[in-house]
C-alpha cells in the first residue's frame, strides 16, 4: 500500500529501520552524555545523574490533551502533550519548576511512552507534543518507532527551550514535524544569570532555529485550521526586557522569512527562584508589552500571535 502523501516523516524512517538505528546511537551517547549543550559527560547508562537531573530511566510527569498551546496546534481535540521531567536549562523563573528542577514524575518504560502516544491519538488529539524532550531523545525515538508499528500517525511536536545542539537536531531530521522552540534570550549575560550559567544560549539557539527551519520550513495553517509541519517560535516578554525582546525580534526578521510563525507571550509571572532577583520579581507592565508589539510591527514580521495585555507589573 502506498503511503499517504501527507503522512509524518517518521513513518518512512520506521519502515526503513532508521528510527532504531538513530535511537541506538543517541542511547550510547548517554554513556558520556552530550545530548544537550552542557555536555556534562555523566555516564547516565550506569546511573549517574546528568546536569539536567536525569539518569538512564525515563521519567514522565503527565500526559493528556492540552488546550493552552497555540491555536493551530490545539484545534478542537487538543494538543497531545507529554511532559518530561527534568530539564537542561533550569531557568530560575520556570513555571514548571517542580517538574523541571525537582524532577516530579514517574519512571516509565519505552513501551509506556509508546502507549501514551497511542492513547493521545485515540482521545482525538491532533499531534504528539513532546514537552522538554532534549535529555530523553533516545527514549523518544525508540518509543516513536514502537508507536509507529502500533498505528501512530499524528505529527510530532518538539516543544523545547531552544537550546539544542546541531548534532542532536540532525538525528531528528525527518522525525519531527513541528518544531516549537523558545527563543528566550538575546544576551549571553542574561542567559548565564537566569539559566544556570548557560552563557552560550543566544548563539546556540540561533543556530538551532536555522537548523529547525531547514528541516521543516515555515509553519503553514492547513484547511482544517491546524499546523502539521513547520517552525513556530515563542518568546516570553520579561520585566525590563531582560530577555532582549527587541533583539530577538530583529534577529528573527533578519534571518528567517517574514511569515515565520512567532508567538509574543505576555504571561510572565515570577515563579520558583525569580523572587531572588528583584528585577524579575514581578509581572510585566502593559507598557513593556506595548513596546514589544511596536518592535514586531517595525520588524515586518507578518504572522504573529499577540496575547492579552498584562494587567501590571
Amino acid at each position: 500500500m502506498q503511503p499517504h502523501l501527507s503522512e509524518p516523516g517518521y513513518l518512512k524512517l520506521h519502515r526503513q529501520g532508521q528510527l532504531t538505528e538513530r535511537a541506538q546511537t543517541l542511547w550510547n551517547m548517554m554513556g558520556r552524555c552530550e545530548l544537550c549543550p552542557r555536555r556534562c559527560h555523566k555516564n547516565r547508562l550506569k546511573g549517574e545523574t546528568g546536569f539536567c537531573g536525569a539518569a538512564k530511566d525515563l521519567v514522565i510527569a503527565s500526559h493528556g490533551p492540552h488546550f493552552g498551546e497555540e491555536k493551530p496546534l490545539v484545534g478542537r481535540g487538543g494538543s497531545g502533550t507529554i511532559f518530561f521531567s527534568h530539564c537542561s536549562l533550569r531557568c530560575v523563573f520556570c513555571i514548571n519548576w517542580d517538574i523541571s528542577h525537582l524532577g516530579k514524575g514517574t519512571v516509565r518504560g519505552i513501551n509506556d511512552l509508546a502507549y501514551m502516544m497511542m492513547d493521545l491519538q485515540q482521545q482525538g488529539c491532533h499531534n504528539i507534543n513532546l514537552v522538554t524532550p532534549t535529555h530523553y531523545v533516545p527514549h523518544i525515538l525508540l518509543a516513536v518507532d514502537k508507536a509507529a508499528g502500533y498505528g501512530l500517525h499524528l505529527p510530532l511536536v518538539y516543544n523545547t527551550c531552544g537550546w539544542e545542539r546541531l548534532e542532536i537536531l540532525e538525528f531528528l531530521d525527518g522525525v519531527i514535524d513541528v518544531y516549537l522552540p523558545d527563543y528566550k534570550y538575546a544576551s549571553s549575560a542574561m542567559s548565564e544569570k537566569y539559566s544556570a550559567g548557560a552563557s552560550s544560549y543566544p548563539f546556540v539557539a540561533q543556530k538551532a532555529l536555522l537548523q529547525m527551519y531547514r528541516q521543516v520550513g515555515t509553519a503553514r495553517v492547513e484547511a482544517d485550521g491546524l499546523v502539521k509541519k513547520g517552525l513556530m517560535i515563542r518568546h516570553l516578554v520579561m520585566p525590563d526586557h531582560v530577555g532582549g525582546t527587541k533583539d530577538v525580534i530583529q534577529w528573527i526578521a533578519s534571518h528567517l522569512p517574514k511569515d515565520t510563525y512567532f508567538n509574543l507571550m505576555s504571561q510572565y509571572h515570577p515563579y520558583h527562584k525569580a523572587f531572588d532577583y528583584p528585577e524579575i520579581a514581578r509581572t510585566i507592565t502593559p507598557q513593556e508589552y506595548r513596546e514589544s508589539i511596536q518592535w514586531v510591527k517595525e520588524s515586518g514580521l507578518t504572522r504573529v500571535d499577540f496575547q492579552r495585555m498584562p494587567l501590571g507589573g
Side-chain angles (χ1 to χ4, degrees):
M1 183 175 66
Q2 292 296 319
H4 193 278
L5 291 177
S6 63
E7 73 173 16
Y10 63 81
L11 292 178
K12 178 180 179 181
L13 297 177
H14 164 71
R15 290 190 292 267
Q16 296 172 341
Q18 289 192 34
L19 285 178
T20 301
E21 291 179 10
R22 295 187 190 188
Q24 190 58 59
T25 300
L26 291 164
W27 189 272
N28 293 338
M29 198 177 293
M30 290 195 297
R32 193 170 182 267
C33 197
E34 295 187 340
L35 293 179
C36 86
R38 292 196 189 273
R39 302 174 72 176
C40 67
H41 294 160
K42 297 294 184 179
N43 191 338
R44 292 173 57 191
L45 295 179
K46 291 188 176 180
E48 292 184 8
T49 299
F51 185 94
C52 61
K56 179 181 178 180
D57 290 334
L58 173 67
V59 185
I60 296 177
S62 65
H63 81 288
H66 186 33
F67 294 86
E69 304 286 55
E70 285 76 0
K71 185 177 179 180
L73 296 177
V74 170
R76 300 184 65 177
S79 181
T81 52
I82 302 174
F83 283 87
F84 295 96
S85 303
H86 306 296
C87 177
S88 61
L89 195 57
R90 302 176 73 85
C91 303
V92 298
F93 51 86
C94 181
I95 188 174
N96 294 318
W97 60 270
D98 56 336
I99 297 172
S100 62
H101 287 246
L102 301 184
K104 178 182 178 181
T106 304
V107 174
R108 301 287 190 181
I110 301 301
N111 278 328
D112 294 327
L113 178 53
Y115 292 143
M116 287 179 190
M117 295 176 182
M118 294 305 299
D119 178 55
L120 293 168
Q121 178 170 282
Q122 291 165 5
Q123 289 188 60
C125 295
H126 302 295
N127 47 65
I128 303 298
N129 189 337
L130 308 165
V131 185
T132 320
T134 309
H135 47 296
Y136 289 126
V137 167
H139 308 73
I140 290 169
L141 290 194
L142 289 172
V144 169
D145 194 41
K146 288 183 175 294
Y150 301 151
L152 184 71
H153 56 78
L154 295 180
L156 296 181
V157 179
Y158 195 80
N159 189 336
T160 167
C161 66
W163 200 43
E164 300 282 344
R165 294 187 62 211
L166 289 184
E167 294 84 352
I168 305 304
L169 289 177
E170 289 172 358
F171 284 94
L172 300 178
D173 194 356
V175 179
I176 299 302
D177 302 286
V178 178
Y179 280 107
L180 184 62
D182 293 328
Y183 184 179
K184 290 180 180 290
Y185 307 101
S187 163
S188 294
M190 296 299 100
S191 58
E192 181 174 18
K193 182 175 184 179
Y194 302 120
S195 292
S199 59
S200 69
Y201 181 92
F203 176 67
V204 170
Q206 288 169 3
K207 291 196 298 182
L209 290 173
L210 293 175
Q211 173 66 201
M212 293 173 186
Y213 172 71
R214 185 195 69 77
Q215 290 185 18
V216 298
T218 302
R220 303 293 182 191
V221 177
E222 299 191 7
D224 57 4
L226 300 172
V227 165
K228 299 173 185 175
K229 185 173 183 178
L231 173 63
M232 305 172 72
I233 303 174
R234 293 168 163 175
H235 174 72
L236 180 64
V237 179
M238 294 185 64
D240 289 333
H241 295 299
V242 299
T245 298
K246 184 175 184 180
D247 291 336
V248 164
I249 292 167
Q250 290 179 341
W251 187 90
I252 294 172
S254 298
H255 293 82
L256 292 167
K258 292 292 194 294
D259 61 348
T260 296
Y261 199 107
F262 181 57
N263 185 358
L264 186 70
M265 300 188 295
S266 65
Q267 72 264 36
Y268 175 83
H269 280 76
Y271 287 97
H272 194 35
K273 298 181 179 179
F275 293 99
D276 295 337
Y277 301 83
E279 67 276 15
I280 62 169
R282 61 171 176 84
T283 58
I284 67 171
T285 66
Q287 179 59 25
E288 286 168 336
Y289 195 63
R290 278 193 291 266
E291 289 171 346
S292 303
I293 293 173
Q294 184 59 35
W295 293 330
V296 167
K297 292 179 178 178
E298 293 171 356
S299 74
L301 292 175
T302 60
R303 296 184 63 215
V304 182
D305 278 351
F306 296 113
Q307 296 187 347
R308 182 179 301 175
M309 190 67 66
L311 297 177

